[in-house]
Amino acid sequence: MQRQNRAELQRCLDGLHPADIAYILEALPLEDRLVVWQRVKADRDGDILLEVSDAVRESLIADMDEGEILAAIEPLDSDELADLVEDLPPEVLPELMASLDPQQREQVQSALSYDEDQVGALMDFEMVTIREDVTLEVVLRYLRRFDELPEQTDKIFVINHDSVLTGVLPLKWLVVNSPDKSVGEVMARDVNTFLPTDDADDAAQAFERYDLISAPVVDGGGRLIGRLTIDVMVDRIREESESEALGRAGLRQEEDIFASVWASVRNRWSWLAINLVTAFLASRVIGLFQGSIEKLVVLATLMPIVASIGGSSGNQTIIKIVRAIATDQVGLNAIWRLWRKELGVAFFNGLIWGGVIGAVVALMYHDIPLGLVMTVAMVLEQMLAAVMGVGIPMLMLRLDRDPAMGSNIFLVFMTDSGGFFIFLGLASIFLLH
Amino acid sequence: MQRQNRAELQRCLDGLHPADIAYILEALPLEDRLVVWQRVKADRDGDILLEVSDAVRESLIADMDEGEILAAIEPLDSDELADLVEDLPPEVLPELMASLDPQQREQVQSALSYDEDQVGALMDFEMVTIREDVTLEVVLRYLRRFDELPEQTDKIFVINHDSVLTGVLPLKWLVVNSPDKSVGEVMARDVNTFLPTDDADDAAQAFERYDLISAPVVDGGGRLIGRLTIDVMVDRIREESESEALGRAGLRQEEDIFASVWASVRNRWSWLAINLVTAFLASRVIGLFQGSIEKLVVLATLMPIVASIGGSSGNQTIIKIVRAIATDQVGLNAIWRLWRKELGVAFFNGLIWGGVIGAVVALMYHDIPLGLVMTVAMVLEQMLAAVMGVGIPMLMLRLDRDPAMGSNIFLVFMTDSGGFFIFLGLASIFLLH
């Protein structure tokens, strides 16, 4: 690259928001990505590292030496540091921890002590707190001593002498009320609070449902220890839905789209291995009926149709049930009702489409019994798919596992082997004597 | 239900947030849902209707008479009304529009004039505006004349005499700066604004990327006409990811989980119909090789393995490409690079897993050539799946269609028929003389 181009790139990058630079870095192949990364002003490195995806972050950090890493993360807040720590090379950690003041160190350690699916791992510590016995006038004077308030501050937290949260004062209320009123008169006492051990997805749902912008995190004794903000929750909602989509397809983790061939092979191999085993087992069901297929080879042609339709409609059922579970819309008690309904849907769908394909088959091969077997097999396969579509996620739930993850592969195994068994079994009984 | 229980239900409902009631209504079967709905205080009906899903909203509105509907929606804002209008029975519309004042009517009509995927359909009209030549002291006095500020107000919009937006004043800045400063000195001039014709998903991405809470919507001349807020954007993000998940499984729309059997059959039938056609076409490929299968019936046992693995890995590729397209990470220019990479991944995966299954087959049937055919077929099928996994979403994109919707069914058709063709074709050439 020529010097002039580089200078221009530099100028262009300096004008961009860290989130935009992160986005550009993610969209570039590795070698171009590192060229751009080296041109980014060092004091913005930390913010950008926070914004990029895990896979891209790894590739950027691998390109930095110890000094650069420490310089990049030095300006970050404790909660941001905690987000990055696990991606940093272990050799920089001692120096990093030594550079923090005791309060920061405690905050980083506290954030690290929670599981990444817990509120504690997502909270920040940038809070403005006031007492309830002062007037709004005093609050306004106090706030004017700040250069600026933390990002996403829509409310100020009201605490007592023991740091116990007694209410919140939205900025909106602070500015519309008379300055003579006391905080206690104006503040909201009925507050959505979270515990650091609460599930992060539940917190995200609460933010969504009650249209929250920030919310206090308190310990078991009601003492204020941190804050959740909508921007973190939005990222969480996005990640949750993406990891669901990826998990459904058996991708273990977010994958840098320009990752090397080997990294991609590793990310995908386990799913293919499982799939190979299930496909092999399903093929053994066909093996059981080799004799029937030898006598009536058209069975080999028709059996994949039965299996394929079963997989498709079972998948529709699973998606619906998993979504209903995720939004807590069905407990285990609704299962019978759902099963009845899905069996009803399956029966009619099987009858309609099984009837159509049965008629086509009967006409094509001038063989009415074959058409009838096809129709009956389709109805039974649809009902099997419905039972599995409701049952598999419910079983996963009862076993305390993520109902989305991997339920699809188990479904396809059941609908494939079940479909082959039903169709070839019926054909062997009724068509071959 | 006994009178006492009803009174208790009533008390319990009166204490809940509209979003919580909406959630309960969604989780109840129809008859119970209507019992609860009738106990909800009439003045909250409108808020609850806004919160429930489309399918559930329909079921609730169907239970209300004209007077109840008009009473429920009367307290709503124009943008909220616009959200509900399309679900209302047409006979209430004339009376509803007559009850609005001219400004409201114009706002409802303006919101209705935009496509639901456009910013204009999502904006609200509750804005607080100020001029830039006044001091913050004056702004604070002005705000104290309000009883309360609109929900999600984190900033006040600064406009000139022609209603052109000149900046925004975050409440955070209003409270930390000296009251003697003028709005013009303090306000941000570099503002994220949206046009009403902008794509709603792009706006949602901007909210996510720049951590926005509210943002002004301006017309072509820069005049302020409305406002977007994070709560609406969060709903949008959630809906987008859900409709992607549903679309992938061929469900046309959100479905009330307790919808009747017939409603569900209708929602799902088209996908099954398409799937039936593609499965039938793929089975015709097998039909071409009936002669080979008759001679070597084990082919019928093994062919679904090849097709199944191809479908699985093609699906992994498609998910990755669709996500990359959705976040604008790949343009059409990156396609060759992606193709090269995915072909590399496919080749190695095919070689590894094709080698494994080939060895198993060779041992099981004491037939080394059969094992070799299996391995070669797996490699070719993997590469076909890679080409299709990148090619299908790219083709959809070039045809200006949603790359997620339906690409899966086309993929499975290609990997099924391709897999059968490759495996049975190779077997016919090399194993049968």
Side-chain angles (χ1 to χ4, degrees):
Chain A
M1 213 186 290
Q2 291 164 336
R3 186 167 307 168
Q4 198 192 341
N5 286 345
R6 289 201 183 168
E8 205 162 309
L9 172 62
Q10 182 92 55
R11 245 196 325 278
C12 172
L13 288 172
D14 289 349
L16 288 176
H17 189 283
D20 291 322
I21 298 181
Y23 167 79
I24 291 171
L25 290 171
E26 286 177 0
L28 287 174
L30 190 61
E31 60 268 47
D32 299 348
R33 182 185 298 159
L34 295 182
V35 171
V36 171
W37 181 232
Q38 280 144 15
R39 313 306 302 177
V40 172
K41 279 244 175 70
D43 58 346
R44 305 173 72 197
D45 281 3
D47 286 330
I48 296 165
L49 284 177
L50 283 172
E51 298 276 355
V52 292
S53 69
D54 290 350
V56 171
R57 185 184 298 152
E58 262 176 52
S59 71
L60 298 179
I61 288 179
D63 187 53
M64 300 167 81
D65 65 32
E66 240 176 81
E68 283 172 332
I69 293 174
L70 285 170
I73 60 186
E74 201 248 287
L76 300 181
D77 295 321
S78 317
D79 63 301
E80 295 169 336
L81 266 182
D83 289 344
L84 284 185
V85 159
E86 58 184 22
D87 292 323
L88 297 179
E91 57 271 23
V92 310
L93 292 186
E95 198 169 338
L96 167 65
M97 292 311 266
S99 73
L100 301 176
D101 67 41
Q103 193 200 3
Q104 282 180 314
R105 204 174 311 139
E106 198 185 309
Q107 288 172 345
V108 170
Q109 275 158 352
S110 138
L112 286 175
S113 70
Y114 295 103
D115 188 88
E116 62 173 333
D117 290 327
Q118 290 183 320
V119 163
L122 299 179
M123 66 185 179
D124 67 52
F125 306 97
E126 301 171 84
M127 299 163 293
V128 179
T129 56
I130 50 173
R131 293 284 151 81
E132 66 177 271
D133 52 7
V134 300
T135 63
L136 300 189
E137 178 68 46
V138 172
V139 174
L140 283 168
R141 276 211 307 274
Y142 171 64
L143 293 180
R144 286 192 192 116
R145 284 159 48 192
F146 286 79
D147 286 331
E148 60 174 343
L149 299 183
E151 292 296 319
Q152 317 282 342
T153 298
D154 70 317
K155 51 174 74 84
I156 302 174
F157 300 130
V158 185
I159 57 175
N160 68 16
H161 295 274
D162 298 323
S163 290
V164 171
L165 185 85
T166 59
V168 296
L169 178 65
L171 290 185
K172 273 180 11 170
W173 296 6
L174 171 64
V175 298
V176 297
N177 278 287
S178 155
D180 307 327
K181 287 192 185 166
S182 77
V183 169
E185 277 176 85
V186 173
M187 72 179 191
R189 289 174 193 276
D190 184 18
V191 184
N192 281 294
T193 62
F194 298 92
L195 294 171
T197 50
D198 281 349
D199 180 69
D201 292 331
D202 291 346
Q205 274 191 25
F207 266 72
E208 222 178 312
R209 194 183 295 176
Y210 305 119
D211 299 338
L212 303 176
I213 291 169
S214 71
V217 179
V218 298
D219 66 15
R223 274 179 300 272
L224 181 68
I225 53 174
R227 180 181 80 130
L228 281 182
T229 54
I230 181 73
D231 53 327
V232 175
M233 293 293 115
V234 168
D235 292 346
R236 180 84 201 173
I237 292 170
R238 175 73 78 180
E239 274 167 27
E240 190 194 344
S241 67
E242 287 190 347
S243 78
E244 196 194 296
L246 292 174
R248 213 184 285 289
L251 293 169
R252 280 189 305 168
Q253 57 184 19
E254 192 181 9
E255 183 183 302
D256 178 358
I257 187 159
F258 294 107
S260 72
V261 167
W262 278 116
S264 297
V265 168
R266 273 202 311 272
N267 189 18
R268 304 187 202 170
W269 81 267
S270 56
W271 185 259
L272 289 182
I274 298 172
N275 198 208
L276 194 68
V277 172
T278 58
F280 182 77
L281 291 177
S283 84
R284 298 315 304 148
V285 174
I286 305 174
L288 293 178
F289 295 96
Q290 276 198 13
S292 309
I293 295 175
E294 249 162 6
K295 285 184 211 136
L296 195 59
V297 74
V298 66
L299 297 181
T301 314
L302 298 177
M303 66 187 184
I305 300 179
V306 179
S308 163
I309 303 287
S312 229
S313 64
N315 191 32
Q316 291 186 333
T317 303
I318 265 192
I319 291 238
K320 283 194 52 223
I321 303 298
V322 167
R323 280 197 54 217
I325 290 175
T327 54
D328 288 329
Q329 274 188 27
V330 284
L332 289 169
N333 54 348
I335 187 171
W336 291 112
R337 186 189 286 272
L338 282 171
W339 237 324
R340 243 189 1 247
K341 180 190 145 186
E342 290 297 323
L343 280 175
V345 175
F347 180 77
F348 285 112
N349 267 328
L351 213 58
I352 296 169
W353 299 113
V356 169
I357 193 79
V360 170
V361 165
L363 286 170
M364 254 177 74
Y365 297 98
H366 306 289
D367 188 341
I368 290 175
L370 181 63
L372 284 175
V373 163
M374 191 74 189
T375 302
V376 174
M378 288 277 285
V379 173
L380 293 178
E381 167 78 346
Q382 286 291 314
M383 296 180 76
L384 171 71
V387 169
M388 291 296 152
V390 178
I392 294 173
M394 287 294 183
L395 182 73
M396 295 275 194
L397 190 68
R398 187 158 276 185
L399 298 177
D400 240 349
R401 311 207 33 189
D402 177 356
M405 195 69 189
S407 57
N408 200 41
I409 205 164
F410 191 48
L411 171 85
V412 169
F413 169 58
M414 295 305 294
T415 52
D416 273 5
S417 45
F420 295 144
F421 186 80
I422 290 169
F423 176 66
L424 296 175
L426 286 174
S428 302
I429 296 170
F430 294 106
L431 303 179
L432 304 164
H433 312 281
Chain B
M1 212 186 289
Q2 291 165 335
R3 185 167 309 169
Q4 196 191 343
N5 286 344
R6 289 201 184 170
E8 206 162 309
L9 172 63
Q10 181 93 53
R11 243 196 326 278
C12 171
L13 288 173
D14 289 349
L16 289 176
H17 189 284
D20 291 322
I21 299 180
Y23 166 80
I24 292 171
L25 291 170
E26 286 178 359
L28 288 174
L30 190 62
E31 60 268 46
D32 299 348
R33 182 185 298 158
L34 295 181
V35 170
V36 171
W37 182 232
Q38 281 145 15
R39 312 308 301 179
V40 171
K41 280 246 173 69
D43 58 346
R44 305 173 73 195
D45 282 2
D47 285 329
I48 296 165
L49 285 177
L50 281 172
E51 299 276 354
V52 293
S53 69
D54 289 353
V56 171
R57 185 184 298 152
E58 261 176 54
S59 72
L60 297 179
I61 288 179
D63 187 54
M64 301 166 81
D65 67 31
E66 240 175 84
E68 284 173 330
I69 294 175
L70 285 169
I73 60 187
E74 202 248 286
L76 300 181
D77 294 321
S78 316
D79 62 301
E80 295 170 335
L81 265 182
D83 289 344
L84 284 186
V85 158
E86 58 184 22
D87 293 323
L88 298 177
E91 56 271 24
V92 309
L93 292 186
E95 198 168 338
L96 167 64
M97 292 310 265
S99 73
L100 301 175
D101 66 40
Q103 192 200 4
Q104 281 180 314
R105 205 174 308 139
E106 200 184 308
Q107 288 172 345
V108 170
Q109 275 157 353
S110 139
L112 286 175
S113 69
Y114 295 103
D115 188 88
E116 62 173 334
D117 289 327
Q118 289 184 320
V119 163
L122 300 178
M123 67 185 178
D124 67 53
F125 305 97
E126 301 171 85
M127 300 163 293
V128 179
T129 56
I130 49 173
R131 293 285 151 81
E132 65 177 271
D133 51 7
V134 300
T135 63
L136 299 188
E137 178 67 47
V138 172
V139 174
L140 282 169
R141 277 211 307 274
Y142 170 64
L143 292 180
R144 287 192 192 115
R145 284 160 48 193
F146 286 78
D147 286 332
E148 60 175 342
L149 299 182
E151 291 298 318
Q152 316 283 341
T153 298
D154 70 317
K155 50 174 75 82
I156 303 173
F157 301 129
V158 185
I159 56 175
N160 68 14
H161 295 274
D162 298 322
S163 291
V164 171
L165 184 84
T166 59
V168 297
L169 178 65
L171 289 185
K172 273 182 10 171
W173 297 5
L174 171 63
V175 298
V176 297
N177 278 287
S178 154
D180 307 327
K181 287 191 184 166
S182 78
V183 170
E185 277 175 86
V186 174
M187 73 181 191
R189 290 174 193 275
D190 183 18
V191 184
N192 281 294
T193 62
F194 298 92
L195 295 170
T197 50
D198 280 349
D199 180 70
D201 291 332
D202 290 346
Q205 273 191 25
F207 266 71
E208 222 179 313
R209 195 184 293 176
Y210 305 117
D211 300 337
L212 302 176
I213 290 169
S214 71
V217 180
V218 298
D219 67 14
R223 273 179 300 271
L224 181 68
I225 54 174
R227 179 181 81 130
L228 280 182
T229 55
I230 181 72
D231 54 327
V232 175
M233 292 293 115
V234 168
D235 292 346
R236 180 83 201 174
I237 291 170
R238 175 73 77 181
E239 274 167 26
E240 190 195 343
S241 67
E242 287 190 348
S243 77
E244 195 194 298
L246 292 174
R248 212 184 285 289
L251 294 168
R252 281 187 305 168
Q253 56 183 18
E254 192 182 7
E255 184 183 302
D256 178 357
I257 188 159
F258 294 107
S260 72
V261 167
W262 278 117
S264 296
V265 168
R266 273 201 311 273
N267 189 19
R268 305 187 201 172
W269 82 267
S270 56
W271 185 260
L272 290 182
I274 298 171
N275 198 210
L276 194 69
V277 172
T278 59
F280 182 78
L281 290 177
S283 83
R284 298 316 304 148
V285 175
I286 305 174
L288 292 178
F289 295 96
Q290 277 198 12
S292 308
I293 295 175
E294 248 163 6
K295 284 184 214 138
L296 194 58
V297 74
V298 66
L299 297 182
T301 313
L302 299 176
M303 66 189 186
I305 300 180
V306 179
S308 162
I309 304 286
S312 230
S313 64
N315 190 32
Q316 292 187 332
T317 304
I318 265 193
I319 291 235
K320 284 194 51 223
I321 304 298
V322 167
R323 281 198 52 216
I325 291 175
T327 54
D328 287 328
Q329 274 188 26
V330 284
L332 289 170
N333 54 349
I335 187 171
W336 290 113
R337 184 190 288 270
L338 282 171
W339 238 324
R340 244 190 0 248
K341 179 190 145 185
E342 291 296 324
L343 280 175
V345 176
F347 180 77
F348 286 112
N349 268 328
L351 213 57
I352 296 169
W353 300 114
V356 170
I357 194 80
V360 171
V361 165
L363 286 171
M364 253 177 75
Y365 297 98
H366 306 289
D367 186 342
I368 291 175
L370 180 64
L372 285 176
V373 162
M374 191 75 190
T375 303
V376 175
M378 287 277 285
V379 173
L380 293 178
E381 167 78 347
Q382 286 291 315
M383 297 180 75
L384 172 71
V387 170
M388 290 297 152
V390 180
I392 293 172
M394 287 294 183
L395 183 72
M396 295 276 194
L397 190 68
R398 186 157 275 182
L399 297 177
D400 241 349
R401 310 206 32 188
D402 178 356
M405 194 69 190
S407 58
N408 200 41
I409 206 164
F410 191 48
L411 172 84
V412 169
F413 169 57
M414 294 306 293
T415 53
D416 273 5
S417 46
F420 296 144
F421 186 80
I422 290 169
F423 176 65
L424 296 175
L426 286 174
S428 302
I429 296 171
F430 294 106
L431 303 178
L432 304 164
H433 312 280

